[in-house]
Amino acid sequence: MAPKITLDRVRNIGIMAHIDAGKTTATERILFYTGRTHKIGEVHDGAATMDWMEQERERGITITSAATTCFWRDHRVNIIDTPGHVDFTVEVERSLRVLDGAIGLFCGVAGVEPQSETVWRQAEKYEVPVIAFVNKMDRAGADFFRVLDSMRDHLAANPVPLVIPMMNDGEMEGVIDLISNVAHYYDDATGDKRHDEPVPDEWKEERDVWYKNLIEKVSEVDETLLEKFCSGEEISVDELNQGIRRATLARTITPTLCGAAFKNKGVKRLLDAVIDYLPSPIDLPPVIGIHDGNEIQRHPDPDGPLAALAFKVMSDKHMGKMVFFRVYSGTMKAGSYVLNSTKGDKQRVGRLMQMHANKQEQKDQIDCGDIGVAVGLSDTTTGDTLCDPDHPVVLEAIEFPAPVISVSIQPESKADSDKLGMGLNRLAEEDPTFVVSSGEETNETIISGMGELHLDIIVDRLRREYGVSAVVGRPEVAYRETITAGYDINYKYAKQSGGKGDFAHTTFKIEPTPPGSGFEFVNSIVGGAIPREYIPAVEKGILDVMKRGCFAGYPIVDLKVELYDGSYHDVDSSERAFRTCASIAFKEAFMKSKPQLLEPIMRVAVTTPSEYAGSINGNLSSKRGRIQGMDAVGNANIIKAMVPLAEMFGYATELRTITSGRGAFSMQFEHYEAVPPSIAETIVENRKDKLNRRGAAA
């Protein structure tokens, strides 16, 4: 039985990086050295413990964040291995929301890659302290100091090396530990055997330069260390470690280590750094929630009232619905009743478990500061707060990006029809960036996600996990509509058909708002021109149209509606009449406000041998792409560009052809931008034709 661990000895960490930087490989070594597994699973063999889904093992990538618990130096380390592919960025987002610290992994050859920037921004958003590990130092072209420069330039980070590599003809013989002032030598190719020696004479000067750098950076939050260093006093290892810890928690530095996870080099030192420098739950400020409009703090106290956040939902064919949660305060007990304060209903916790990838370990309770899984919370979804019914609180939910790509999907046979609906609903419940909708005009089921790979995996999971064969349409871009000018409308809706009629009269103005600001409804009615009970119906009528769009049938975004006048009839007015009136008036006002079509613009990074750089630049420009810059890394070039998503379908095949299979690219959503008028015209016409054809067929 695992020993009882106090809160100060708990570490909740995530491993985050660009795809193929070695996250899962590093996690496998951590599990092996902590005794959690007895054999190292390799990604390239399809045997990695944390990549347990069939799709992950086939593709050699991480798709879903996997949680596990292990022990090191009498500390409990809860680890979440997150995906690196941009299509699964939601997994990183929700993991960082509930983690206390993170390991940022960087490839020693490629340095900071596009997805590294995304996950770094996510960590900054949640103010998560990070330690960095420069991996793959065994690869040809690896350069530790170039990666440090790359972190400063691209991430605005403050990396502070705790070790520096001793390179000999491109091979890493060992590392110099700046803190203990010794050289660690790896005695075999696998890195399992190591011995320590005094720092060689030829490395002493280099060591002193970087040791001084370490003291200077740490002393920004610990002046006593600087005083000691300047006066020639000796700084003990313990004093320096405490200073590094304080600076890491204050997020003024990023302690940086290096190694080669595949060769087992540097992993134990990384584990030590997790314990020494990353926070426990009690090192962080109390979590803040809301109740009745008042701000409430919940401290990490095992005896305090329960406050937990559900950050992930998973369906298991044997266990049913599994809810992953983080306990911020109190203790979650099996069989107890908890309040889902987000939805306002009481739910009974069935079984409780801790996860090791897809294997479960039954628990009677999940303690404060820990991550666990509950079975039986059927109405709980991602972002819900679970708390003590006598002490309600709602914790801040998790924000997710909107999907950027859509396809139509239909069952191959009638027998698949019911199973398709059930499978899609379960997958949408698991993944907030996967949205299922039905085209009202088209009678089609539309699925939307973060990219082509994301939707490929969804369709593959439908086939394997739910036994559904489905036909998928061509990918469609998630265009949006907006306005570029304002308009005031005064509209009266009156309908008489014998008996009680319908009457509503609204006067409102619509005006554009900045990109990304969404929809704002302002009620400026005074003197009861429209009774208060009809105001929500006006807003609903406008929202009905905004979902469907007016210009080309795409959702409407970024505008403000101010309702400032109107009238009503004592007998004929109703919520339905005002809803209908607002819908008709909004359509008319929208079309007179210079409507504009918006398209998703993607940040694209293409890595190519330098001889193909010119061809790639030309190709991206022909796709309406704007080249942002080009970096040379070894004998390769990384070309960065902003390109409309509509032009990027099938790009993987194009790139393979241009570069004879030697190029690679990554792509992520950046922002929405206006479609050029000539192209917008074609899109609107095609969309209307499509809707008309489907309407006729229906």
Side-chain angles (χ1 to χ4, degrees):
M1 189 171 155
K4 178 75 176 169
I5 301 288
T6 53
L7 263 179
D8 61 319
R9 290 177 173 266
V10 172
R11 301 287 182 273
N12 291 309
I13 65 161
I15 301 183
M16 57 181 202
H18 185 87
I19 192 167
D20 210 27
K23 292 180 304 302
T24 303
T25 302
T27 309
E28 292 298 320
R29 268 64 187 172
I30 288 172
L31 297 181
F32 178 72
Y33 286 128
T34 56
R36 181 40 111 158
T37 55
H38 303 292
K39 177 178 179 290
I40 294 174
E42 301 296 4
V43 175
H44 57 269
D45 295 334
T49 309
M50 303 298 271
D51 283 354
W52 54 269
M53 288 172 69
E54 287 175 55
Q55 293 89 341
E56 293 179 312
R57 295 187 165 187
E58 284 172 8
R59 290 168 167 82
I61 62 169
T62 303
I63 291 166
T64 183
S65 52
T68 190
T69 297
C70 56
F71 295 87
W72 186 253
R73 282 173 37 192
D74 296 328
H75 287 66
R76 179 203 295 280
V77 184
N78 298 318
I79 303 172
I80 297 184
D81 173 32
T82 62
H85 197 287
V86 65
D87 283 16
F88 309 106
T89 189
V90 60
E91 295 288 343
V92 186
E93 184 84 23
R94 59 175 159 202
S95 301
L96 286 170
R97 170 66 178 81
V98 297
L99 292 172
D100 300 330
I103 298 170
L105 219 66
F106 299 93
C107 172
V109 181
V112 174
E113 297 170 273
Q115 187 63 3
S116 316
E117 295 182 45
T118 304
V119 295
W120 196 268
R121 284 205 303 265
Q122 288 170 312
E124 284 185 331
K125 174 179 169 183
Y126 294 114
E127 298 184 348
V128 175
V130 180
I131 56 177
F133 184 74
V134 179
N135 193 25
K136 301 193 178 183
M137 289 301 296
D138 56 328
R139 290 272 183 96
D143 187 334
F144 178 69
F145 299 106
R146 189 179 67 222
V147 177
L148 296 182
D149 291 338
S150 180
M151 288 173 70
R152 288 186 200 100
D153 295 344
H154 297 293
L155 306 177
N158 186 14
V160 178
L162 306 185
V163 301
I164 55 171
M166 293 186 291
M167 306 298 285
N168 185 8
D169 287 338
E171 280 288 312
M172 190 176 79
E173 289 184 336
V175 297
I176 294 168
D177 190 320
L178 301 176
I179 298 169
S180 55
N181 196 17
V182 294
H184 303 313
Y185 287 95
Y186 299 105
D187 297 335
D188 60 2
T190 61
D192 273 341
K193 294 177 183 170
R194 194 192 88 186
H195 75 279
D196 296 350
E197 285 183 16
V199 176
D201 289 342
E202 66 269 26
W203 284 96
K204 278 183 178 171
E205 193 178 328
E206 184 89 351
R207 183 263 169 191
D208 290 345
V209 167
W210 287 104
Y211 180 71
K212 186 183 176 193
N213 173 70
L214 172 58
I215 297 292
E216 284 174 352
K217 297 289 188 186
V218 172
S219 59
E220 287 174 14
V221 290
D222 202 327
E223 288 179 13
T224 52
L225 283 184
L226 187 61
E227 284 170 21
K228 272 193 159 189
F229 181 71
C230 291
S231 59
E233 287 181 60
E234 193 174 321
I235 297 170
S236 71
V237 169
D238 196 40
E239 281 178 314
L240 186 48
N241 274 331
Q242 284 178 18
I244 295 168
R245 180 177 178 77
R246 281 192 289 272
T248 307
L249 298 189
R251 299 177 61 251
T252 60
I253 69 167
T254 303
T256 305
L257 302 157
C258 67
F262 184 58
K263 300 275 180 70
N264 313 312
K265 295 177 180 179
V267 178
K268 290 179 184 175
R269 183 73 183 79
L270 177 62
L271 269 168
D272 286 337
V274 167
I275 304 303
D276 290 336
Y277 312 127
L278 288 181
S280 72
I282 59 174
D283 291 319
L284 298 169
V287 67
I288 293 172
I290 301 287
H291 178 56
D292 285 342
N294 300 317
E295 207 172 82
I296 294 175
Q297 291 188 343
R298 286 282 183 265
H299 295 270
D301 177 5
D303 301 319
L306 174 68
L309 184 75
F311 67 93
K312 178 171 174 164
V313 173
M314 223 170 81
S315 294
D316 183 275
K317 54 185 167 192
H318 305 298
M319 309 285 294
K321 183 173 174 177
M322 297 162 64
V323 176
F324 286 68
F325 61 89
R326 157 79 191 267
V327 180
Y328 286 98
S329 166
T331 305
M332 178 87 78
K333 294 182 178 173
S336 65
Y337 279 89
V338 296
L339 173 69
N340 181 328
S341 53
T342 309
K343 296 206 164 60
D345 60 348
K346 251 186 175 184
Q347 299 178 11
R348 185 177 178 275
V349 179
R351 281 181 289 167
L352 287 175
M353 296 168 295
Q354 269 184 332
M355 298 298 289
H356 176 48
N358 64 333
K359 297 182 176 67
Q360 304 99 16
E361 187 182 329
Q362 196 110 338
K363 293 280 182 183
D364 295 327
Q365 63 182 49
I366 301 293
D367 297 319
C368 179
D370 269 349
I371 289 168
V373 175
V375 177
L377 302 174
S378 55
D379 293 331
T380 298
T381 52
T382 299
D384 286 358
T385 300
L386 304 168
C387 63
D388 183 334
D390 298 326
H391 299 87
V393 65
V394 178
L395 303 178
E396 186 189 348
I398 310 169
E399 287 179 20
F400 297 111
V404 295
I405 181 173
S406 303
V407 296
S408 62
I409 187 167
Q410 57 190 68
E412 269 190 358
S413 65
K414 277 194 173 173
D416 284 325
S417 189
D418 291 341
K419 287 193 289 184
L420 176 67
M422 185 189 74
L424 288 175
N425 288 337
R426 286 212 180 145
L427 292 170
E429 199 174 51
E430 284 184 27
D431 182 352
T433 59
F434 171 61
V435 176
V436 182
S437 57
S438 55
E440 288 176 29
E441 303 92 337
T442 61
N443 271 337
E444 274 186 324
T445 299
I446 307 292
I447 58 173
S448 307
M450 299 306 294
E452 288 181 273
L453 178 62
H454 186 193
L455 296 182
D456 274 355
I457 298 287
I458 292 283
V459 173
D460 195 36
R461 287 187 65 190
L462 278 172
R463 181 174 58 81
R464 295 190 199 209
E465 294 170 33
Y466 299 97
V468 178
S469 294
V471 179
V472 177
R474 277 192 74 250
E476 281 193 21
V477 179
Y479 291 105
R480 296 284 182 265
E481 298 177 14
T482 192
I483 53 174
T484 55
Y487 188 79
D488 281 50
I489 186 150
N490 181 354
Y491 185 79
K492 207 172 271 185
Y493 174 70
K495 201 172 180 190
Q496 205 68 43
S497 54
K500 187 175 180 295
D502 283 319
F503 178 87
H505 172 208
T506 57
T507 304
F508 57 80
K509 64 178 173 187
I510 68 173
E511 53 190 349
T513 56
S517 57
F519 169 62
E520 185 186 352
F521 180 79
V522 179
N523 173 19
S524 298
I525 293 288
V526 288
I530 298 175
R532 198 183 312 159
E533 64 266 27
Y534 296 147
I535 305 295
V538 174
E539 187 175 0
K540 279 179 191 160
I542 291 165
L543 287 169
D544 289 343
V545 180
M546 287 184 69
K547 281 179 201 157
R548 295 193 302 269
C550 304
F551 184 39
Y554 294 106
I556 294 168
V557 294
D558 302 335
L559 57 79
K560 174 182 168 184
V561 173
E562 185 181 355
L563 176 68
Y564 61 87
D565 202 2
S567 62
Y568 70 102
H569 188 277
D570 286 335
V571 177
D572 291 351
S573 287
S574 63
E575 284 189 20
R576 189 189 65 188
F578 271 97
R579 192 166 178 169
T580 307
C581 174
S583 297
I584 297 168
F586 181 78
K587 277 183 196 169
E588 190 179 313
F590 184 88
M591 293 309 289
K592 288 180 177 173
S593 301
K594 297 185 179 170
Q596 188 178 59
L597 202 60
L598 303 174
E599 64 182 340
I601 302 295
M602 311 304 281
R603 181 149 53 102
V604 177
V606 183
T607 305
T608 172
S610 45
E611 62 262 37
Y612 302 113
S615 304
I616 299 290
N617 277 332
N619 180 256
L620 290 174
S621 298
S622 73
K623 295 178 176 298
R624 297 192 282 129
R626 297 191 302 275
I627 308 297
Q628 305 282 298
M630 189 158 71
D631 298 329
V633 178
N635 62 349
N637 282 11
I638 298 175
I639 298 163
K640 295 177 181 175
M642 294 291 184
V643 191
L645 174 63
E647 305 285 348
M648 289 301 290
F649 294 131
Y651 185 64
T653 309
E654 269 185 70
L655 183 62
R656 274 198 294 271
T657 306
I658 295 169
T659 63
S660 305
R662 292 165 66 195
F665 81 104
S666 67
M667 176 172 81
Q668 64 194 83
F669 171 70
E670 184 65 26
H671 59 264
Y672 270 93
E673 212 171 86
V675 180
S678 57
I679 295 170
E681 233 172 81
T682 310
I683 293 168
V684 172
E685 279 172 28
N686 291 345
R687 175 80 168 172
K688 283 178 179 168
D689 284 350
K690 189 177 179 184
L691 296 180
N692 290 337
R693 278 199 310 274
R694 284 175 181 166

